[in-house]
Amino acid sequence: MTTMVKAVAKAEPNFIWRLFFVCIMVSIFVGVVQGQDANWDLKNYHYYSPHAWVHDRYGVDIAPAQLQTWHSPFADLPYYWMAQFGFHSIILTGILSLPAGISIFLLILIAQRVSPNLASVTGVTVLILLSITGAAGARTIGTTMSEWHLSALLLGAVLGLLRQVEDGWRYNKWTLFAGLLGGCAVGLKLTSAPFAVGLAAMLIFLPGLALQRAQRLVVFGVGGIVGFVIFFAPWGLAQYERFGNPFFPYFNDIFKSSLLPLESFRDVRFGAKSAIDVITLPARLVWNSTSLVTEPTMRDSRLFVTVFAILVLLWPRRKEQVVNRELWIAIAAFFFVSYVLWVTFFGIYRYALALELFAGVIFAASILTLPLKKLSVILIASALLIIATTRTPSWGRVSHGAVAVHSSIPKLPPGTMVVIASNEPLGYIVPSFPIEIRTVAVINNFMALHRHVELQQQAIVTVAAHEGPIYRLLDLNHKDERHYNGDLIELMFQKIGFTTDFDNCLPISSGMQQSGLALCRVVKPATAKIIG
């Protein structure tokens, strides 16, 4: 088996570079042609969080990006710097598309190692098409959603483990490298944790004696810890100093910061509620899915098809039918362990991009092992059927032009404070304010009237104690907005003692939203009203 894998891996260097160029160009085209990113998370925190980190706003502003104010900013720093520098949106989108091209390139290298038949032009073409058309990946290419960035790290880790199989297990340098990449992915975004465990499962099922496998896990774990520390430690330590919780606001039921209720704050809308959910989800995704694994409607049969494709690859074969069963067993372990943990703890479909990408490899490889004629035709036809029946969710794009995240802010009186009372994503406006302006949220996706949130009490007192002008940042298109509990936010705002003067508003323009955004004058009470 090792000899065959080495033979496949030693492709002509010129071909490798041409393949890399094609993957990059395809991803840039797909990203740019869809327009400039304007997704909800970008408007909420992907732009504000790095701004807060760079300008040390965490002790100045209070939750302008809602619960997500305290997400790690490191994955979004490159976007923030490019936007601040004034990159044109086409260039910026093209750069954001690079992780997709790298991921697809790594995926093809993996495919060629586990299924030599996929090294053909047909195999490569099918893999590229399946990769850029999936429900998790298609609409996130060229966006600030970091799933492609994380997938590149995770696929690099898988490739590293396969390289370790090629080189033997004497030095375990590739195992260490794989652990490092997996740890970096988790450090950048904790939602990668299920796939890091999946990598460990893959390592266990790769060939070797029990003692060798234990040694590999230790080496892999060391690399994982180093990678995690590199990307998470600066943020986690800062969070611990501020709140006594390195994962703030999450896991507060464990770390017990006094500023928030003792809850985990994990989004449980999409995770599996039972073992039946875990088993049946791939089948349910074949039909239109609304509020099952994502907010917008989507449909994708890749995970469902993969279950049967793996059975085909692992089925006992005749001697002349060459299949790297040992490698496929390891990949199956990675896939299913990652899947179970992902659907149990998160269930948000775009987080499963790595699974979607591997589904393409597993599916294509299984077709090419069938004892049938004209396998290339069957592969292309079946891939096109999967693509044609896929419905990708829309996350929000705008036409290209000047960087859309920049906003035109009206001149405000000296000593102004800005207050936010909304579930709408408004954090991206805040970096355009003069640096001396403080932004404080009093109602948002975790601050309400029906629960006691100490941070909300502090925010209300802060606004009430402000002696200068106060303006409310809001979207006038959503004046009748309701909180998630059903209450009118305007009435909630009044109950805590503040009144919005809708006749005294200053318009804001932004490339993401040309109308409706405004700063409206706020009338405050003589003293703050503490709620609970």
Side-chain angles (χ1 to χ4, degrees):
M1 178 194 69
T2 303
T3 302
M4 183 171 62
V5 172
K6 285 183 177 180
V8 174
K10 293 180 179 179
E12 181 188 355
N14 288 337
F15 169 76
I16 295 296
W17 284 113
R18 288 197 297 270
L19 176 62
F20 180 76
F21 177 78
V22 168
C23 293
I24 293 296
M25 289 298 101
V26 168
S27 67
I28 290 176
F29 173 79
V30 172
V32 170
V33 77
Q34 294 185 74
Q36 184 177 187
D37 184 22
N39 76 80
W40 194 96
D41 287 349
L42 170 57
K43 291 192 283 186
N44 188 41
Y45 74 93
H46 283 318
Y47 190 57
Y48 172 79
S49 292
H51 169 79
W53 174 264
V54 170
H55 296 282
D56 195 21
R57 302 290 297 182
Y58 294 104
V60 179
D61 301 331
I62 299 179
Q66 310 191 65
L67 187 72
Q68 294 81 9
T69 296
W70 300 280
H71 282 196
S72 172
F74 297 148
D76 296 314
L77 280 171
Y79 176 86
Y80 174 77
W81 284 324
M82 288 186 291
Q84 288 289 302
F85 191 78
F87 279 33
H88 192 278
S89 68
I90 292 179
I91 297 175
L92 201 155
T93 303
I95 294 173
L96 288 176
S97 301
L98 294 179
I102 295 170
S103 297
I104 297 169
F105 173 71
L106 294 173
L107 187 75
I108 293 172
L109 295 185
I110 292 170
Q112 292 176 352
R113 282 170 165 79
V114 297
S115 180
N117 292 333
L118 289 175
S120 65
V121 173
T122 299
V124 169
T125 302
V126 166
L127 288 178
I128 292 175
L129 290 175
L130 288 174
S131 298
I132 63 173
T133 56
R139 296 297 186 95
T140 56
I141 296 177
T143 72
T144 54
M145 293 180 174
S146 54
E147 273 61 56
W148 281 104
H149 306 56
L150 303 176
S151 291
L153 292 170
L154 295 170
L155 291 171
V158 172
L159 184 61
L161 294 182
L162 295 179
R163 284 295 304 269
Q164 190 69 77
V165 173
E166 297 170 22
D167 293 352
W169 299 95
R170 185 174 180 182
Y171 297 110
N172 282 317
K173 62 179 181 180
W174 288 107
T175 303
L176 182 67
F177 180 66
L180 179 69
L181 293 182
C184 288
V186 179
L188 281 173
K189 194 169 183 178
L190 297 178
T191 56
S192 297
F195 305 97
V197 178
L199 288 170
M202 177 179 176
L203 189 59
I204 291 173
F205 280 90
L206 286 172
L209 300 175
L211 180 59
Q212 291 175 320
R213 299 182 189 196
Q215 292 172 338
R216 298 173 202 165
L217 278 177
V218 171
V219 174
F220 178 84
V222 169
I225 292 172
V226 171
F228 179 77
V229 167
I230 289 172
F231 279 102
F232 186 79
W235 177 249
L237 289 173
Q239 292 291 83
Y240 187 78
E241 289 177 0
R242 296 187 194 107
F243 307 112
N245 179 355
F247 304 101
F248 186 89
Y250 303 103
F251 304 112
N252 204 48
D253 51 338
I254 298 173
F255 292 96
K256 298 178 170 52
S257 170
S258 61
L259 293 177
L260 294 179
L262 303 183
E263 303 174 14
S264 70
F265 285 95
R266 183 170 64 89
D267 190 343
V268 297
R269 290 175 297 164
F270 305 113
K273 306 300 188 296
S274 66
I276 297 298
D277 289 345
V278 174
I279 295 170
T280 61
L281 178 63
R284 287 184 287 160
L285 292 177
V286 175
W287 291 272
N288 283 347
S289 166
T290 302
S291 301
L292 183 60
V293 291
T294 191
E295 293 93 340
T297 299
M298 59 150 283
R299 178 175 61 236
D300 201 315
S301 61
R302 284 167 175 78
L303 296 186
F304 180 69
V305 170
T306 301
V307 175
F308 299 97
I310 287 180
L311 295 177
V312 171
L313 291 167
L314 299 184
W315 195 263
R317 299 173 180 279
R318 299 189 303 271
K319 292 182 179 180
E320 64 271 18
Q321 291 180 296
V322 180
V323 174
N324 299 329
R325 268 187 100 242
E326 290 178 311
L327 292 186
W328 282 117
I329 290 173
I331 288 175
F334 166 77
F335 188 91
F336 285 117
V337 169
S338 299
Y339 167 78
V340 170
L341 293 175
W342 161 74
V343 75
T344 300
F345 289 100
F346 301 108
I348 298 174
Y349 192 75
R350 60 186 173 87
Y351 293 173
L353 176 57
L355 296 182
E356 180 177 278
L357 295 173
F358 264 99
V361 173
I362 295 168
F363 161 75
S366 68
I367 293 292
L368 294 179
T369 62
L370 296 175
L372 301 172
K373 297 180 179 180
K374 297 183 178 181
L375 286 179
S376 294
V377 175
I378 295 174
L379 175 61
I380 294 172
S382 54
L384 291 176
L385 179 62
I386 289 176
I387 294 169
T389 56
T390 298
R391 180 172 181 177
T392 58
S394 176
W395 296 111
R397 301 264 189 161
V398 293
S399 300
H400 285 294
V403 179
V405 76
H406 285 172
S407 304
S408 177
I409 304 298
K411 184 175 178 61
L412 297 171
T416 291
M417 172 181 281
V418 173
V419 64
I420 298 176
S422 177
N423 292 327
E424 292 297 309
L426 300 170
Y428 77 103
I429 304 293
V430 178
S432 297
F433 292 150
I435 199 68
E436 65 272 11
I437 288 182
R438 188 178 190 185
T439 304
V440 178
V442 293
I443 298 171
N444 56 26
N445 61 6
F446 74 99
M447 294 178 176
L449 302 186
H450 64 287
R451 62 195 310 199
H452 178 85
V453 180
E454 180 60 32
L455 190 63
Q456 184 181 30
Q457 317 304 324
Q458 293 185 12
I460 294 170
V461 172
T462 299
V463 175
H466 183 69
E467 296 182 353
I470 302 174
Y471 283 83
R472 179 180 170 190
L473 173 62
L474 75 166
D475 183 351
L476 293 175
N477 297 323
H478 297 278
K479 286 177 62 175
D480 297 327
E481 178 188 4
R482 292 183 179 273
H483 197 270
Y484 295 120
N485 66 357
D487 294 341
L488 280 169
I489 287 183
E490 192 57 38
L491 291 180
M492 295 170 66
F493 195 57
Q494 294 174 15
K495 284 181 179 179
I496 60 177
F498 303 115
T499 303
T500 307
D501 182 0
F502 288 106
D503 295 325
N504 190 2
C505 295
L506 303 173
I508 295 174
S509 64
S510 168
M512 291 190 186
Q513 185 172 328
Q514 295 296 330
S515 64
L517 294 172
L519 287 164
C520 298
R521 196 66 184 262
V522 171
V523 180
K524 67 175 184 176
T527 58
K529 290 189 178 181
I530 304 301
I531 62 174

